[in-house]
Amino acid sequence: MVPTERTWDRTEVERLVETYSDLILRLSYSYLKSTEDAKDICQTVFLKLLEKPRTFASPEHERAWIIRTAANICKDVLKSHWRRTTVDMDAAGDVPAPQAEEGSLLAAVGLLPPKYRAVIYLYYYEGYAAKEIAQMLGENPATVSTRLNRGRAKLKTMLESEGMA
């Protein structure tokens, strides 16, 4: 039997939320290990159901659809580029910022004016290309290239005056 589309009334939506929200949250948390992400998945499952209402053959069919949908959305999140390339803020707080030893190159970079310091740091220490830096800073790529060149020149002058170059 092919399910037909239907619309939901408020009591039916409340029943769905009361019946399945805890299940979706626990299942999502088991996949993602994040309460906030699990809440997002729960909301997404209900939105998916409400945007395209379905008629289920039985309560077991309804429950199976909700579980399968939640699991699939969790898997999509786990595969996403965003998830693979970001870390939780708490984990990021445990990583100390690089400390510049006196007389080091990083210390010299820290003495540059901010507009040069940022592009030099992002280019050499974080490995970003000039085009990527321009995007991140909201600048023109030519401006970033100019700042890189001028920053290098200022850095060279600084290091030569200190007898390091």
Side-chain angles (χ1 to χ4, degrees), residues 114-145:
K115 65 183 181 180
Y116 301 123
R117 181 184 331 142
V119 295
I120 294 284
Y121 181 82
L122 290 170
Y123 187 82
Y124 288 104
Y125 288 90
E126 297 298 328
Y128 289 105
K131 202 174 202 178
E132 294 170 312
I133 296 169
Q135 244 182 337
M136 286 187 274
L137 299 179
E139 297 286 350
N140 188 316
T143 303
V144 169
S145 295

Side-chain angles (χ1 to χ4, degrees):
M1 182 168 100
V2 176
T4 58
E5 289 191 19
R6 67 175 188 154
T7 57
W8 300 101
D9 65 7
R10 185 176 181 86
T11 56
E12 184 67 8
V13 171
E14 288 173 356
R15 181 194 67 80
L16 288 168
V17 171
E18 287 174 20
T19 305
Y20 297 113
S21 59
D22 190 51
L23 167 69
I24 297 167
L25 285 170
R26 285 184 283 117
L27 176 66
S28 301
Y29 185 83
S30 72
Y31 273 96
L32 304 172
K33 306 290 187 252
S34 164
T35 303
E36 297 307 314
D37 288 343
K39 289 178 183 177
D40 289 344
I41 298 299
C42 188
Q43 189 174 35
T44 303
V45 169
F46 288 124
L47 283 173
K48 197 172 198 108
L49 180 59
L50 296 173
E51 284 174 349
K52 190 173 179 192
R54 295 153 173 80
T55 302
F56 298 103
S58 66
E60 292 79 23
H61 180 223
E62 179 180 83
R63 182 179 176 88
W65 184 91
I66 288 175
I67 290 170
R68 185 78 256 144
T69 302
N72 286 341
I73 295 170
C74 287
K75 289 175 185 176
D76 289 345
V77 168
L78 289 171
K79 289 186 291 187
S80 74
H81 176 72
W82 174 258
R83 181 77 176 204
R84 290 190 320 260
T85 57
T86 58
V87 295
D88 186 62
M89 287 297 288
D90 295 334
D94 295 339
V95 178
Q99 295 300 312
E101 295 177 25
E102 194 164 326
S104 71
L105 184 58
L106 184 57
V109 169
L111 296 174
L112 289 171
K115 65 183 181 180
Y116 301 123
R117 181 184 331 142
V119 295
I120 294 284
Y121 181 82
L122 290 170
Y123 187 82
Y124 288 104
Y125 288 90
E126 297 298 328
Y128 289 105
K131 202 174 202 178
E132 294 170 312
I133 296 169
Q135 244 182 337
M136 286 187 274
L137 299 179
E139 297 286 350
N140 188 316
T143 303
V144 169
S145 295
T146 300
R147 287 182 183 169
L148 277 169
N149 289 330
R150 289 181 183 166
R152 286 185 201 111
K154 286 184 177 293
L155 198 53
K156 183 178 178 185
T157 304
M158 246 193 283
L159 294 174
E160 285 173 345
S161 70
E162 291 180 18
M164 293 179 68

